[in-house]
């Protein structure tokens, strides 16, 4: 009666608050293409939460409840051969049922994609994600969710695996890819010491393979509890094959294991790294790009472990990051590395002062930069992701540098121009737009809404080349000045002034401040002109994409919600702009449309809405409607979506929209890559 799992409504106990463990899904799982959060509360409830609207968290599903119902339906037996259900009055039976539904940990897999053939023989790519939940009795429930995850109806299956591991403590997905062959399994650690990988058979996910039998990575029951497990895919430069690096925090040691799959079969190399901490490791994190591992113990010491490949396997070189040098005496509770490895986030509380523990604990999240600005910029330039939003931690380092120096470093400017010239890929144009916007912001006397600037800029300290407090103080001062001057925008007005201006040549203003107020104003106008020009380029590229979709999906002349004729005329209106592909595309579309124009009409006065501006439509009676930046349709409703940077607006998909328009409306912002919602 006193158990919260069995009796969530039980009035006998005060409510427990807080979380035991949380786990972020990969990006692209919720309706807006962002992450889901699996949360395990102190009273052992496992739920999936989503941040659908800004700053508003919603519970999508209570997995504890659904799993409990499933167990009830099967009389608490996983297989038919199991002994029939016992009596709940029996304490052993009570314990058995309790441990089979008390989650210990949960972890998300990567996104699995499979092809589905529809009735009309059309192929559809379907995404799904798996959530593995480890229970006290060693069972693992593997939930499969259809993407985007919207709630209970997105659950496609739930399979329970019996691991047979006693006192299980942690789990992590093992995901391996070689020659388009994907393998996966679950790495499970025990509080007694052993670590093994279990096969995960999922018939529903076609094209994915698993192990034939469990692989034991560490078998000794040496009473060193496994506290955390991470797995990183790497490429072995000497063995010339992809491999998986598994690391597990065991007591104050790091156990590592390298899995190499070659024609000869599976090769396992393992060892422990010792001499890292004098206290047990409380938290461990790994950089997915290069396999660098970070561990921390509660005494404020963080270790960075860098894997170095040897002929056969690898070894680790490690160095100490002493947080007390930067933050003073602190206790550390957890660490996490940001997705592209730009920052290490650390949860700290005050340490001992004069040999006494503090009376109150103030939990703080500190950010330590792990990369220099140059490294971040180089990574962004050579990125295979080509999406600014997915690399937002690297972007943030670049942003910080430009805000501070009020100038775009020459090497970055040149490298970017070269990329734009040689490839023309829109990602580089978006990167350029981002740099110009930040430069504009850095030069403003009265900063407009600091959309790119978080409030606690001063807490970032670059460990690599400036461990002192000097940097932080600099920043603090800067923060102080700017925050005193914050007034409302000016950006809108400036942009209008700027519109009349022709884009000037591409050279950037020299660094440093040039003279008085007028010189700054002039520079701002110049940057504004460049921003306009880049935005125009990106708009044209997106318009071409939209017209391409119209051409592909309309067979006969028909009135789509996209102002096709307006887009064609707009693209052709600038005589200086010469684009052969656009001309050819527009030629084809014009043939299809014949002489028809299908103009848009103002819903208030029924007048024609001409297409003269990419951002808005004005009828002859002066009614102004904003244009959706994904379809260029005038948005004649008061409910619309925006990207995270508030660049512009987009309409909501309507039920009568054909699939291809719905797909267009799902695209990220053409200016900043962020999701639109
Ligand atoms: Zn009107
Ligand atoms: Zn945007």
């Amino acid at each position: 009666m006193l158990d919260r799992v069995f009796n969530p409504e039980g009035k006998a106990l005060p409510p427990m608050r807080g979380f035991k463990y949380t786990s972020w899904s990969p990006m692209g799982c919720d309706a807006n293409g962002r992450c889901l959060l699996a949360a395990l509360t102190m009273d052992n409830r496992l739920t999936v939460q989503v941040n659908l609207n800004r700053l508003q968290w919603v519970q999508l599903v209570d997995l504890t409840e659904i799993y409990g119902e499933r167990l009830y339906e099967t009389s608490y037996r996983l297989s038919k051969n199991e002994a029939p259900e016992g009596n709940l009055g029996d304490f052993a039976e009570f314990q058995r049922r309790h441990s089979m539904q008390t989650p210990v940990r949960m972890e998300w897999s990567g996104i699995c994609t499979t092809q589905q053939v529809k009735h009309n023989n059309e192929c559809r790519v379907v995404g799904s994600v798996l959530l593995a939940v480890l229970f006290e009795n060693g069972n693992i429930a593997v939930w499969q969710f259809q993407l985007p995850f919207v709630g209970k109806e997105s659950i496609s299956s739930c399979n329970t695996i019996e691991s047979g591991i006693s006192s299980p403590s942690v789990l992590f997905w093992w995901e391996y890819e070689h020659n388009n062959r994907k393998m996966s399994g679950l790495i499970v650690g025990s509080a007694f010491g052993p670590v093994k990988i279990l096969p995960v058979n999922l018939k529903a996910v076609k094209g994915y393979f698993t192990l034939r039998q469990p692989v034991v990575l560490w078998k000794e029951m040496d009473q060193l509890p496994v506290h955390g497990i991470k797995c990183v895919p790497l490429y072995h430069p000497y063995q010339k094959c992809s491999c998986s690096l598994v690391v597990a925090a065991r007591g104050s040691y790091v156990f590592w294991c390298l899995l190499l799959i070659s024609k000869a079969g599976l090769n396992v190399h393992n060892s422990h790294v010792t001499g890292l901490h004098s206290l047990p490791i409380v938290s461990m994190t790994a950089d997915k790009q290069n396999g660098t591992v970070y561990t921390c113990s509660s005494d404020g010491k963080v270790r960075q472990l860098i894997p170095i490949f040897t002929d056969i396997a690898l070894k680790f070189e490690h160095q100490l990051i002493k947080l007390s040098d930067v933050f003073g005496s602190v206790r550390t509770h957890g660490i996490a590395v940001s997705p592209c490895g730009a920052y290490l986030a650390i949860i700290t509380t005050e340490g001992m002062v004069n040999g006494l523990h503090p009376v109150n604990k103030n939990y703080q999240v500190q950010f330590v930069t792990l990369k220099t600005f140059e490294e971040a910029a180089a990574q962004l330039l050579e990125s295979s992701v080509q999406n600014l939003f997915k690399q937002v931690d690297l972007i943030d380092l670049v942003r910080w540098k430009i805000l501070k120096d009020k100038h775009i470093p020459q090497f970055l400017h040149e490298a970017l121009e070269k990329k734009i010239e040689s490839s023309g890929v829109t990602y580089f144009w978006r990167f350029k737009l981002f740099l110009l916007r930040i430069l504009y912001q850095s030069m403003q006397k009265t900063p407009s809404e600091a959309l790119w600037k978080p409030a606690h800029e001063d807490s970032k300290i670059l460990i690599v080349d400036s461990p002192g407090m000097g940097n932080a103080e600099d920043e603090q001062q800067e923060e102080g000045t700017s925050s005193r001057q914050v007034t409302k925008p000016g950006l809108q007005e400036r942009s209008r002034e700027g519109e009349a201006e022709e884009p000037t040549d591409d050279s950037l203003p020299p660094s440093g401040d040039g003279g008085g107020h007028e010189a700054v104003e002039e520079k701002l106008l110049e940057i504004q002109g460049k921003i306009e020009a880049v935005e125009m380029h990106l708009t044209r590229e997106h318009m071409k994409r939209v017209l391409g979709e119209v051409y592909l999906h309309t067979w006969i002349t028909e009135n789509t919600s996209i102002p096709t004729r307006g887009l064609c005329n707009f693209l052709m209106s600038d005589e200086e702009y010469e684009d052969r592909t656009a001309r050819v595309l527009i030629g084809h579309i014009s043939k299809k449309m014949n002489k028809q124009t299908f103009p848009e009409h103002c819903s208030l006065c029924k007048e024609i809405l001409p297409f003269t501006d990419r951002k808005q439509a004005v009828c002859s009676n002066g009614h102004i409607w904003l244009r959706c930046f994904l379809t260029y349709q005038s948005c004649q409703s008061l409910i619309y979506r925006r990207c995270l940077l508030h660049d512009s607006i987009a309409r909501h998909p309507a039920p009568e929209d054909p699939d291809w328009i719905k797909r267009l409306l799902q695209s990220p912002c053409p200016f900043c890559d962020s999701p639109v919602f």
Side-chain angles (χ1 to χ4, degrees):
M1 291 308 293
L2 286 176
D3 190 87
R4 290 187 169 90
V5 174
F6 286 106
N7 294 305
E9 309 302 326
K11 306 279 187 290
L13 293 168
M16 279 181 100
R17 301 176 71 185
F19 296 97
K20 237 182 202 173
Y21 190 70
T22 53
S23 174
W24 287 103
S25 78
M27 203 189 284
C29 289
D30 81 352
N32 298 322
R34 303 204 297 164
C35 303
L36 302 164
L37 186 69
L40 178 59
T41 55
M42 294 301 277
D43 56 355
N44 295 315
R45 291 236 141 220
L46 175 62
T47 57
V48 177
Q49 311 273 334
V50 72
N51 179 220
L52 276 182
N53 294 314
R54 285 158 218 275
L55 306 175
Q56 190 193 358
W57 285 89
V58 182
Q59 178 179 311
L60 285 182
V61 70
D62 182 338
L63 294 177
T64 296
E65 193 183 303
I66 301 170
Y67 197 67
E69 281 164 13
R70 280 167 174 255
L71 286 175
Y72 176 78
E73 277 161 22
T74 57
S75 311
Y76 300 91
R77 288 185 307 167
L78 283 172
S79 60
K80 295 251 152 52
N81 330 333
E82 240 176 280
E85 173 184 8
N87 179 358
L88 195 59
D90 205 348
F91 189 58
E93 174 66 11
F94 180 89
Q95 271 186 315
R96 190 181 77 89
R97 286 199 209 168
H98 185 272
S99 71
M100 79 193 300
Q101 51 188 317
T102 305
V104 181
R105 284 283 171 106
M106 63 288 174
E107 294 294 344
W108 298 91
S109 73
I111 291 178
C112 318
T113 50
T114 41
Q115 300 256 326
Q116 226 176 43
V117 183
K118 293 203 289 190
H119 294 303
N120 59 0
N121 209 21
E122 207 177 284
C123 257
R124 195 163 72 105
V125 176
V126 188
S128 64
V129 70
L130 308 171
L131 179 71
V133 184
L134 178 65
F135 291 97
E136 259 181 27
N137 68 347
N139 285 355
I140 302 166
V142 181
W143 296 88
Q144 191 188 2
F145 304 123
Q146 213 67 6
L147 296 181
F149 189 125
V150 287
K152 208 170 170 177
E153 62 271 33
S154 306
I155 300 174
S156 30
S157 68
C158 174
N159 293 289
T160 305
I161 304 168
E162 287 172 87
S163 76
I165 290 172
S166 49
S167 209
S169 53
V170 281
L171 88 162
F172 203 80
W173 283 92
W174 171 64
E175 289 171 318
Y176 178 88
E177 191 173 345
H178 184 60
N179 290 342
N180 284 328
R181 212 180 137 96
K182 291 169 186 156
M183 298 263 288
S184 63
L186 279 166
I187 314 164
V188 186
S190 153
F192 297 140
V195 182
K196 66 176 174 182
I197 309 184
L198 301 168
V200 180
N201 269 314
L202 282 164
K203 291 190 186 79
V205 192
K206 281 196 197 89
Y208 286 75
F209 298 88
T210 192
L211 299 158
R212 250 183 237 134
Q213 59 209 33
V215 176
V216 178
L217 303 182
W218 185 253
K219 67 168 197 291
E220 303 299 326
M221 301 278 265
D222 50 17
Q223 308 300 322
L224 280 176
V226 185
H227 182 273
I229 297 176
K230 299 280 170 215
C231 179
V232 187
L234 292 173
Y235 181 78
H236 200 301
Y238 304 115
Q239 296 286 317
K240 304 243 181 310
C241 62
S242 14
C243 55
S244 300
L245 173 64
V246 178
V247 283
R250 301 179 70 238
S252 52
Y253 315 115
V254 167
F255 166 73
W256 66 262
C257 190
L258 191 71
L259 292 127
L260 293 155
I261 301 180
S262 64
K263 285 202 182 89
L266 178 72
N267 264 300
V268 183
H269 302 272
N270 62 19
S271 182
H272 279 86
V273 189
T274 57
L276 296 170
H277 298 275
S278 45
L279 290 171
I281 293 167
V282 290
S283 185
M284 181 178 69
T285 179
D287 184 338
K288 273 175 277 167
Q289 333 278 309
N290 54 19
T292 303
V293 177
Y294 300 87
T295 56
C296 89
S297 50
S298 62
D299 53 358
K301 291 196 175 109
V302 175
R303 281 270 174 188
Q304 182 187 41
L305 290 87
I306 300 162
I308 312 281
F309 282 99
T310 59
D311 280 353
I312 303 159
L314 55 70
K315 61 178 182 185
F316 279 99
E317 271 177 14
H318 51 90
Q319 63 178 51
L320 181 67
I321 303 174
K322 250 176 122 179
L323 296 178
S324 56
D325 292 348
V326 189
F327 306 123
S329 165
V330 285
R331 284 176 71 85
T332 29
H333 304 272
I335 50 173
V337 71
S338 67
C340 298
Y343 289 106
L344 184 70
I346 308 160
I347 300 178
T348 63
T349 52
E350 297 91 333
M352 297 227 280
V353 181
N354 300 329
L356 294 171
H357 286 288
V359 183
N360 296 314
K361 271 189 194 171
N362 290 309
Y363 286 87
Q364 283 190 310
V365 182
Q366 317 271 7
F367 290 92
V368 173
T369 55
L370 296 170
K371 284 185 200 302
T372 60
F373 156 76
E374 287 78 8
E375 286 166 332
Q379 205 172 324
L380 283 165
L381 284 170
E382 298 308 324
S383 146
S384 56
V385 184
Q386 305 224 324
N387 179 307
L388 295 176
F389 179 69
K390 286 186 178 161
Q391 305 176 87
V392 78
D393 55 336
L394 295 173
I395 279 285
D396 189 71
L397 278 182
V398 174
R399 183 186 63 84
W400 184 34
K401 172 83 173 172
I402 296 173
L403 278 180
K404 222 170 77 179
D405 295 359
K406 301 188 189 304
H407 139 82
I408 298 170
Q410 196 60 29
F411 88 90
L412 177 56
H413 172 70
E414 278 167 14
L416 195 52
E417 287 302 320
K418 212 184 246 173
K419 288 272 182 193
I420 286 174
E421 228 165 85
S422 64
S423 76
V425 175
T426 50
Y427 163 73
F428 296 113
W429 284 90
R430 289 193 294 274
F431 192 11
K432 182 177 176 178
L433 177 62
F434 162 81
L435 296 177
L436 288 169
R437 282 173 171 180
I438 297 306
L439 180 64
Y440 186 92
Q441 206 189 337
S442 75
M443 307 215 14
Q444 275 177 296
K445 266 272 162 59
T446 49
S448 61
E449 280 177 285
L451 292 172
W452 284 95
K453 203 169 181 181
H456 302 291
E457 194 82 46
D458 46 314
S459 61
K460 284 176 205 150
I461 289 148
L462 183 63
I463 283 285
V464 187
D465 55 21
S466 55
M469 291 297 283
N471 242 352
E473 271 163 18
D474 268 19
E475 267 300 298
Q476 235 152 11
Q477 264 177 10
E478 209 177 67
E479 258 312 282
T481 14
S482 59
S483 62
R484 246 179 283 133
Q485 291 177 344
V486 168
T487 48
K488 276 255 163 170
L491 185 75
Q492 269 315 78
E493 282 151 41
R494 286 221 173 82
S495 77
R496 236 160 261 145
E497 279 167 38
E499 260 161 35
E501 213 77 348
E502 273 295 294
T504 50
D505 71 3
D506 238 21
S507 69
L508 279 157
S511 65
D513 292 277
H517 182 70
E518 265 166 43
V520 173
E521 280 298 304
E522 215 165 276
K523 251 185 230 167
L524 280 173
L525 279 177
E526 190 191 328
I527 301 166
Q528 183 62 51
K530 283 179 190 166
I531 291 175
E532 283 283 321
V534 179
E535 279 184 359
M536 192 46 110
H537 175 84
L538 286 169
T539 304
R540 281 195 188 111
E541 288 302 306
H542 188 69
M543 282 178 173
K544 271 160 42 185
R545 193 188 143 206
V546 174
L547 286 179
E549 294 286 325
V550 172
Y551 181 70
L552 261 180
H553 293 101
T554 52
W555 180 239
I556 40 153
T557 330
E558 65 178 300
N559 192 4
T560 64
S561 58
I562 290 167
T564 309
R565 176 70 70 186
L567 282 176
C568 293
N569 294 344
F570 185 84
L571 277 177
M572 302 305 281
S573 62
D574 187 350
E575 271 155 30
E576 278 173 42
Y577 167 71
E578 184 50 54
D579 184 338
R580 231 188 81 79
T581 43
R583 205 166 283 278
V584 171
L585 181 65
I586 290 167
H588 285 309
I589 288 177
S590 304
K591 256 185 230 152
K592 257 189 193 178
M593 289 188 70
N594 214 344
K595 291 238 154 38
Q596 284 163 285
T597 53
F598 299 125
E600 289 180 288
H601 293 273
C602 172
S603 63
L604 290 179
C605 65
K606 306 285 176 268
E607 285 296 318
I608 285 178
L609 284 170
F611 197 112
T612 46
D613 189 329
R614 64 190 169 95
K615 286 180 182 164
Q616 60 183 34
V618 190
C619 77
S620 55
N621 289 322
H623 300 126
I624 301 173
W625 304 107
L626 293 175
R627 283 196 184 278
C628 162
F629 68 164
L630 293 174
T631 61
Y632 300 104
Q633 193 188 350
S634 59
C635 227
Q636 302 198 30
S637 105
L638 295 177
I639 305 160
Y640 47 77
R641 306 176 297 151
R642 303 188 93 169
C643 76
L644 283 175
L645 285 193
H646 292 194
D647 284 333
S648 204
I649 67 143
R651 72 174 176 93
H652 281 277
E656 64 271 20
D657 283 333
D659 277 351
W660 62 275
I661 291 189
K662 280 190 184 131
R663 266 201 309 277
L664 258 182
L665 286 168
Q666 274 167 12
S667 320
C669 170
F671 296 134
C672 71
D673 285 334
S674 84
V676 186
F677 60 99

